Amino acid sequence: MALYEHVFLARQDVSAQQVDALVEQYKGVLEANGGKVGRVENWGLKSLTYRINKNRKAHYVLVDIDAPAAAVHEMERQMRINEDVLRYMTIAVEKHEDGPSAMMQKRDRDDRPRRDGDRPERSFGDRDRGPRPDRGDREDRPRRPREDRA
């Protein structure tokens, strides 16, 4: 049997209990077709990057699957029919990851490296770029009047 990671998005107006019921429903479909479900992670209600069917948020769920392709196709077929499922994606993997997924790992903002390296904190507007070589020395050049002022 092949290994898959499956993520689906449920509508924002369904409750957490209904999302769990959806997971159990699709787990039953997979098990009825000879598959097994491993880890199930409910990532919760998150904002979408863009609106999907007038929804600004969605419940995200990750499921690790060990099942034949026919079982996954049947589950996806039933997800296409269900109005509560906005999007889904199934990816074949070599092996399932141990521990929590990247979405569930709690990272502190101070742990991440800074983008600007070790430069001191300052705004972008106060950079000294030095003289511009393409303009030359501007002080000894006479100033021409603009055409519209003359």
Side-chain angles (χ1 to χ4, degrees):
M1 287 192 284
L3 299 176
Y4 300 95
E5 283 186 357
H6 179 79
V7 176
F8 72 91
L9 301 146
R11 289 185 313 147
Q12 64 187 0
D13 53 343
V14 299
S15 67
Q17 290 82 13
Q18 289 172 312
V19 173
D20 292 339
L22 283 173
V23 170
E24 292 302 319
Q25 174 186 347
Y26 296 125
K27 194 185 292 189
V29 169
L30 290 168
E31 290 170 354
N33 289 305
K36 291 183 283 188
V37 174
R39 165 181 68 169
V40 175
E41 284 186 358
N42 189 342
W43 294 343
L45 187 66
K46 296 191 171 293
S47 294
L48 296 170
T49 304
Y50 55 91
R51 290 173 61 174
I52 303 173
N53 297 341
K54 300 182 181 178
N55 290 287
R56 294 183 185 273
K57 294 184 176 191
H59 294 273
Y60 285 67
V61 179
L62 168 75
V63 182
D64 285 346
I65 300 170
D66 182 10
V72 174
H73 288 298
E74 176 60 22
M75 179 189 66
E76 288 179 346
R77 185 188 71 79
Q78 290 190 17
M79 283 192 171
R80 277 193 297 273
I81 296 170
N82 195 333
E83 293 178 356
D84 291 336
V85 177
L86 298 174
R87 294 281 191 276
Y88 63 86
M89 182 171 62
T90 307
I91 299 173
V93 294
E94 295 293 321
K95 69 174 213 142
H96 290 135
E97 294 180 13
D98 295 331
S101 65
M103 292 292 288
M104 295 299 287
Q105 292 174 357
K106 178 75 172 143
R107 289 212 174 151
D108 199 10
R109 292 184 79 66
D110 297 334
D111 292 345
R112 289 187 276 166
R114 287 186 14 200
R115 290 169 123 186
D116 59 354
D118 292 326
R119 287 188 298 174
E121 293 287 331
R122 62 181 179 173
S123 67
F124 290 109
D126 63 349
R127 289 186 182 159
D128 183 22
R129 295 189 176 125
R132 290 188 53 180
D134 60 334
R135 292 194 179 177
D137 193 12
R138 297 189 70 153
E139 292 162 10
D140 47 337
R141 193 171 12 151
R143 193 168 180 159
R144 285 187 352 227
R146 287 179 46 185
E147 298 295 326
D148 59 346
R149 291 188 193 166

